[in-house]
Amino acid sequence: MEMKDLHEIAASARSAFYQISVSSADQRNTVLSALARLLTQNKDSIFAANQTDLDAAAAEDLAAPLLHRLTFGEEKLDQVVRGLHALADLPDPLNKTLSATEITEGLKLYRVSSPIGVIGVIFESRPDALIQISSLCIKSGNAVLLKGGREALHTNQVLCDLVSQALEDSGFSASTVQLLETREDVAQMLKEDTLIDLIIPRGSNSFVRYIMDNSRIPVLGHSDGICHVYVDSDADPETACRIVTDSKTQYVSVCNALETLLVHVDIAPVFLPELYRSLTEKNVEIRGDEQTAKIIPCVPATDKDWSSEYLDYILSIKIVSSLNDAIEHINRYGSHHTDCIVTNNSENASVFMNTVDSAGVYWNVSTRFADGFVYGLGAEVGIATGKLHARGPMGLEGLTTYKYKLIGSGQTMEEMKSGKRQYTHIPLQENCPL
Amino acid sequence: MEMKDLHEIAASARSAFYQISVSSADQRNTVLSALARLLTQNKDSIFAANQTDLDAAAAEDLAAPLLHRLTFGEEKLDQVVRGLHALADLPDPLNKTLSATEITEGLKLYRVSSPIGVIGVIFESRPDALIQISSLCIKSGNAVLLKGGREALHTNQVLCDLVSQALEDSGFSASTVQLLETREDVAQMLKEDTLIDLIIPRGSNSFVRYIMDNSRIPVLGHSDGICHVYVDSDADPETACRIVTDSKTQYVSVCNALETLLVHVDIAPVFLPELYRSLTEKNVEIRGDEQTAKIIPCVPATDKDWSSEYLDYILSIKIVSSLNDAIEHINRYGSHHTDCIVTNNSENASVFMNTVDSAGVYWNVSTRFADGFVYGLGAEVGIATGKLHARGPMGLEGLTTYKYKLIGSGQTMEEMKSGKRQYTHIPLQENCPL
């Protein structure tokens, strides 16, 4: 019974995809405007549902950073509504002619952007993520199955009902965006590889690995953010201190927050005491290796610290003897998310940025900038830590694929092989007519 | 012992990747020229090894189309050498600035193309594929582990030795391109998900599924080519006959050959007899549904025929009552490779091309055109039938990913949130300086 239900949900999403995939940009933008209006009109019921979730979370003694993420009040509403209007104003990501080539006389090849299909997204406790993900999928002509955090269930239900209403008011099927409610639904979803084209799991490494091990559906993993800052021997200590403090403490419970600091041995005696003052002001617990412990007070770090995503006021510190040691540490223990070098030496910056195997490689700037909105992508459906399809913050472009459209007048391969026709391969500056 | 060996191979490939990933385009092109020279100089030993493989294949009574694919003689050599020179002449796919944006004053974001890493490719009996795949990986700064068809082992060994020599002569590690020889190696390779970034399996659907089920490494599947031609009611019968005959018979053992023909009921009585004459001239066996059997002689088709990739002189034919029936059949039974509509009606062509969910959607042209060289990509490492990362013929661009390089001067998120700094999001026309 359970299995049939999820299969039906996925099948209805597939039908909804075929409908929205051939709709106009105007039709899809209408849904976003309608949703912005509905959210504002129904804010009282959203806030009430959120209060129910917050009360339950408080009763379960949820950590403060998690409570903060779960909260959906006036400020979040305002952000979300502004995000919807901004998204509606972005250009249509579909039916863009990405390239055009004359293959031989009278035969034209067009590479044209198109939606992916049905996407399954499993996200954490932030209910505003539901609106962000839904709206990105609608804008890009995809259908989506959503599974949010258990803690946010009441808020998510109200929000998803409003998305359904906005879709139906604009002539689309409510099945375009559907909310899954149980872990069993997720397990069943992973089996529907002929109906679902992509799974985006946002969560821990082990969770992403569980998804990959249990599905044939392609997975774009948004896994741990074990971000590093490396303070080079040529760094300006004041700049380094500012970047490390911001990367660690500006918002601790997000994936682009700093978790491990690597410090060149030559600058450590000068830099670490200064950093210590700044971090203790913010109540950051420091876990240092042996060499760090000789310079500043700290808890001894163990090997486990190098692969931990704390999402809390904790920082691990290791002293390294060279730029290469720092790069090797990052490529070995990091999660290929975002890593930063602080230095005044452009050659060291270049080696770091070209050899560190991460989606974001930064020079003299806080890791907190790794975000789709900050990058100018409008919003993000996740931050991909793999290398295929999309890497880093994944916005509208990551939710599209392309098709090759080839338009001819009866050309055959026999004519090409016999030399009756020649390849011309002329680049064309024109859009696909169909 | 076995496990350690493959782990060591993968680890050496990873080291080789870090070397080639930061090399210049000139260095990488030097390998391609050296390889072209070495292949010509050593053609006698290549041909001798190939004769050994051909003799063994003949003794095993391999089908004629497979023997044809296995053959590596003067003609293939000439093609391969010309391909290497053409590839060397193509622009560098790496270190291209794909976009540049000012995020806030003094903070610039660059999206820069970069290699993927270590790629495992499992390919079929064509030994020329070894040179094509190796050279595409070298040009794009990746390392590759290759597993060819058992039938081509002797030829592949000689070819891979020449690739090694070309790499070493040009200052690269021979570990950049390595040949695996057993199925056990492949099984072990699938476990090395921390050392290998991508697997490209070329083969049957069931083989691609086996790979996906047994690895956490992302897979770009090049699976069955169950290609369709749909002859619409508004088709010109002569054009349709030419396209169907070419798609089916020009080269039967390749993935872009036609396997199932769909014919609109209104045109079938006129078109099928004409097609029958053309196909019987080429000795094509026809497997038709009941309605087809009323018009032309044929073997009765079963449900299995609709999902069969014959790679032989066999064609299944089904009569459909509408364009939508044709589209539904293709989306249900096809392999999302390449499908063609023959029609003079541009509206029907548009519906077909936008709704058929395949990498290539063709209007009035033979399916045999689905090929990386034909598309102007230089060559191809495979034809992806999934929708993520690369779709259709996959050339150099499909072998690259990108990094975000963010260059600042101490910017913090605290400054952005407090309003001390503003987002500017100004598009820049400049290349990344690092």
Side-chain angles (χ1 to χ4, degrees):
Chain A
M1 199 51 196
E2 188 84 34
M3 282 187 67
K4 198 177 171 200
D5 284 353
L6 197 280
H7 180 77
E8 276 167 13
I9 288 172
S12 68
R14 186 113 215 124
S15 301
F17 159 63
Y18 285 123
Q19 184 198 18
I20 198 168
S21 72
V22 292
S23 65
S24 71
D26 280 353
Q27 282 176 284
R28 282 174 272 124
N29 287 331
T30 302
V31 185
L32 306 185
S33 318
L35 179 57
R37 203 173 49 243
L38 285 167
L39 288 169
T40 308
Q41 284 168 357
N42 294 278
K43 65 180 183 178
D44 291 340
S45 40
I46 301 170
F47 297 161
N50 190 241
Q51 194 56 54
T52 308
D53 287 331
L54 285 170
D55 290 346
E60 288 186 26
D61 203 20
L62 221 64
L66 289 179
L67 280 178
H68 181 65
R69 292 163 71 113
L70 181 55
T71 305
F72 194 104
E74 287 281 1
E75 196 191 341
K76 281 272 170 76
L77 177 70
D78 186 51
Q79 272 176 27
V80 158
V81 166
R82 274 188 291 125
L84 285 169
H85 290 304
L87 188 60
D89 288 343
L90 286 181
D92 186 12
L94 302 182
N95 303 310
K96 280 196 297 190
T97 299
L98 305 171
S99 68
T101 312
E102 185 196 86
I103 302 297
T104 184
E105 205 196 327
L107 183 65
K108 292 179 177 180
L109 179 72
Y110 303 90
R111 191 158 71 121
V112 180
S113 67
S114 57
I116 290 175
V118 179
I119 301 174
V121 186
I122 304 147
F123 61 102
E124 64 288 17
S125 49
R126 280 195 304 118
D128 47 319
L130 185 145
I131 302 293
Q132 269 172 19
I133 297 164
S134 309
S135 57
L136 283 165
C137 287
I138 291 166
K139 175 86 182 186
S140 56
N142 294 290
V144 63
L145 302 180
L146 296 160
K147 171 67 174 68
R150 188 181 52 85
E151 312 79 27
L153 185 59
H154 295 92
T155 318
N156 285 341
Q157 278 170 334
V158 172
L159 293 175
C160 195
D161 285 348
L162 295 172
V163 175
S164 297
Q165 198 180 325
L167 282 162
E168 288 186 330
D169 287 356
S170 317
F172 289 100
S173 160
S175 303
T176 312
V177 176
Q178 296 178 73
L179 190 63
L180 308 183
E181 301 199 344
T182 67
R183 280 167 184 248
E184 290 68 41
D185 284 342
V186 172
Q188 293 303 327
M189 174 169 78
L190 300 183
K191 295 179 184 161
E192 297 292 343
D193 60 308
T194 60
L195 293 173
I196 301 174
D197 297 285
L198 171 64
I199 301 280
I200 303 176
R202 307 180 8 161
S204 66
N205 265 330
S206 58
F207 174 66
V208 173
R209 238 179 272 132
Y210 160 79
I211 300 287
M212 288 178 169
D213 287 350
N214 287 282
S215 187
R216 281 180 191 150
I217 305 171
V219 174
L220 275 184
H222 164 109
S223 62
D224 291 355
I226 302 176
C227 300
H228 298 80
V229 170
Y230 164 59
V231 178
D232 191 36
S233 51
D234 280 351
D236 169 50
E238 194 276 320
T239 304
C241 189
R242 192 165 72 241
I243 288 172
V244 171
T245 306
D246 191 74
S247 299
K248 180 67 253 183
T249 67
Q250 201 276 324
Y251 192 177
V252 295
S253 60
V254 285
C255 62
N256 59 21
L258 170 66
E259 305 294 8
T260 298
L261 172 68
L262 304 169
V263 182
H264 192 281
V265 63
D266 291 349
I267 203 174
V270 178
F271 169 66
L272 283 180
E274 186 178 332
L275 179 73
Y276 181 78
R277 278 188 295 276
S278 171
L279 291 180
T280 44
E281 243 174 56
K282 303 269 188 180
N283 295 313
V284 176
E285 174 188 323
I286 295 173
R287 301 188 185 173
D289 69 345
E290 272 182 41
Q291 283 183 275
T292 303
K294 288 178 189 157
I295 304 174
I296 53 171
C298 60
V299 177
T302 67
D303 220 45
K304 194 171 166 243
D305 283 296
W306 312 133
S307 33
S308 290
E309 184 184 32
Y310 305 117
L311 297 175
D312 208 341
Y313 287 87
I314 303 170
L315 177 70
S316 57
I317 302 182
K318 185 181 186 179
I319 292 180
V320 294
S321 53
S322 69
L323 169 63
N324 276 339
D325 284 357
I327 292 171
E328 272 181 26
H329 179 100
I330 294 169
N331 283 343
R332 178 168 172 197
Y333 292 104
S335 63
H336 311 291
H337 189 296
T338 302
D339 301 290
C340 170
I341 181 171
V342 184
T343 186
N344 290 324
N345 181 321
S346 66
E347 208 171 304
N348 286 359
S350 176
V351 170
F352 182 93
M353 295 174 96
N354 288 311
T355 322
V356 167
D357 202 11
S358 297
V361 282
Y362 286 18
W363 181 17
N364 290 345
V365 54
S366 167
T367 59
R368 286 279 294 114
F369 282 80
D371 174 271
F373 169 76
V374 171
Y375 281 11
L377 308 180
E380 67 184 33
V381 71
I383 296 189
T385 50
K387 297 182 188 177
L388 295 188
H389 189 73
R391 194 179 196 191
M394 183 177 162
L396 287 174
E397 195 189 312
L399 291 171
T400 64
T401 178
Y402 54 82
K403 274 180 176 181
Y404 283 102
K405 295 184 175 178
L406 186 63
I407 302 183
S409 46
Q411 285 83 356
T412 63
M413 188 50 65
E414 192 56 43
E415 293 168 321
M416 308 307 300
K417 297 281 180 186
S418 66
K420 194 176 151 199
R421 285 181 177 277
Q422 309 297 329
Y423 290 109
T424 54
H425 286 150
I426 301 169
L428 304 172
Q429 302 297 325
E430 60 181 55
N431 289 325
C432 182
L434 294 183
Chain B
M1 198 51 196
E2 188 84 35
M3 284 186 67
K4 197 179 169 199
D5 284 352
L6 198 280
H7 181 76
E8 276 167 12
I9 288 172
S12 68
R14 187 113 215 122
S15 300
F17 160 63
Y18 284 123
Q19 184 199 17
I20 198 168
S21 73
V22 293
S23 65
S24 71
D26 280 352
Q27 284 176 282
R28 282 174 272 123
N29 287 332
T30 303
V31 185
L32 306 185
S33 317
L35 179 56
R37 203 174 48 243
L38 285 168
L39 288 170
T40 309
Q41 284 169 358
N42 294 278
K43 66 179 183 178
D44 291 339
S45 41
I46 301 169
F47 297 161
N50 189 240
Q51 194 56 52
T52 307
D53 286 332
L54 285 171
D55 291 345
E60 288 185 26
D61 203 20
L62 222 63
L66 289 179
L67 279 178
H68 181 65
R69 291 164 71 112
L70 182 55
T71 305
F72 193 103
E74 288 280 1
E75 197 192 340
K76 281 272 171 75
L77 176 70
D78 186 52
Q79 271 176 26
V80 158
V81 166
R82 274 188 291 125
L84 285 169
H85 290 305
L87 189 61
D89 288 344
L90 286 180
D92 187 14
L94 302 183
N95 303 310
K96 280 195 297 190
T97 299
L98 305 171
S99 68
T101 313
E102 185 197 86
I103 302 296
T104 184
E105 204 197 328
L107 183 64
K108 292 178 176 180
L109 178 73
Y110 304 90
R111 191 158 71 122
V112 180
S113 66
S114 58
I116 290 175
V118 179
I119 301 174
V121 185
I122 304 148
F123 61 103
E124 64 288 17
S125 49
R126 281 196 304 117
D128 48 318
L130 185 145
I131 302 294
Q132 270 173 17
I133 297 163
S134 308
S135 57
L136 283 165
C137 287
I138 291 166
K139 175 88 183 186
S140 56
N142 294 289
V144 63
L145 303 180
L146 295 161
K147 171 68 174 67
R150 187 181 54 83
E151 312 79 29
L153 185 60
H154 295 92
T155 318
N156 285 341
Q157 278 170 334
V158 172
L159 292 175
C160 195
D161 285 347
L162 295 172
V163 174
S164 297
Q165 198 180 326
L167 282 162
E168 288 186 330
D169 287 356
S170 317
F172 289 100
S173 161
S175 303
T176 311
V177 177
Q178 296 177 71
L179 189 63
L180 308 183
E181 301 198 345
T182 66
R183 280 167 183 247
E184 291 68 42
D185 283 343
V186 173
Q188 292 303 326
M189 175 169 77
L190 300 183
K191 296 179 184 162
E192 298 293 344
D193 60 308
T194 61
L195 294 173
I196 300 174
D197 297 283
L198 171 64
I199 301 279
I200 304 177
R202 307 178 12 159
S204 66
N205 266 329
S206 59
F207 175 67
V208 172
R209 239 180 271 131
Y210 160 78
I211 299 287
M212 287 178 170
D213 287 350
N214 287 281
S215 186
R216 279 180 194 150
I217 305 170
V219 174
L220 275 184
H222 165 109
S223 61
D224 291 356
I226 302 177
C227 300
H228 298 78
V229 171
Y230 164 60
V231 178
D232 191 35
S233 51
D234 280 350
D236 170 51
E238 194 276 320
T239 304
C241 188
R242 193 166 70 240
I243 288 173
V244 171
T245 306
D246 191 75
S247 299
K248 179 66 253 181
T249 67
Q250 201 276 324
Y251 192 0
V252 295
S253 61
V254 285
C255 62
N256 59 20
L258 170 66
E259 305 295 7
T260 299
L261 172 68
L262 304 169
V263 182
H264 192 281
V265 63
D266 292 348
I267 203 173
V270 178
F271 168 65
L272 283 180
E274 187 178 331
L275 179 72
Y276 181 77
R277 281 188 294 275
S278 172
L279 291 181
T280 44
E281 244 174 55
K282 303 269 187 181
N283 295 313
V284 175
E285 174 187 324
I286 295 173
R287 301 189 185 172
D289 69 346
E290 272 181 41
Q291 284 184 272
T292 303
K294 288 179 190 157
I295 304 175
I296 53 170
C298 59
V299 177
T302 67
D303 220 44
K304 196 174 163 239
D305 284 295
W306 312 133
S307 33
S308 290
E309 185 185 29
Y310 305 116
L311 298 174
D312 208 341
Y313 287 87
I314 304 171
L315 177 69
S316 57
I317 302 183
K318 185 181 186 178
I319 293 181
V320 294
S321 54
S322 69
L323 169 63
N324 275 340
D325 284 356
I327 292 170
E328 272 180 28
H329 180 99
I330 294 170
N331 283 342
R332 178 168 172 198
Y333 292 104
S335 63
H336 310 291
H337 189 297
T338 301
D339 301 290
C340 170
I341 181 171
V342 184
T343 187
N344 290 324
N345 181 321
S346 66
E347 207 172 302
N348 286 359
S350 175
V351 170
F352 182 91
M353 295 174 96
N354 288 310
T355 322
V356 167
D357 202 11
S358 297
V361 282
Y362 287 17
W363 181 17
N364 290 345
V365 55
S366 167
T367 59
R368 286 279 294 115
F369 282 80
D371 173 273
F373 169 76
V374 171
Y375 280 12
L377 308 180
E380 67 184 34
V381 71
I383 296 190
T385 50
K387 297 183 188 177
L388 295 188
H389 189 73
R391 194 177 195 193
M394 182 177 162
L396 287 173
E397 195 188 312
L399 291 171
T400 64
T401 177
Y402 54 81
K403 275 181 176 179
Y404 283 102
K405 294 184 174 178
L406 186 63
I407 302 183
S409 46
Q411 285 83 356
T412 63
M413 188 50 66
E414 192 56 42
E415 293 168 321
M416 308 306 301
K417 297 280 179 186
S418 67
K420 195 177 150 196
R421 284 182 177 276
Q422 309 297 327
Y423 290 108
T424 53
H425 287 149
I426 301 169
L428 303 173
Q429 302 298 324
E430 61 182 55
N431 289 324
C432 182
L434 293 184

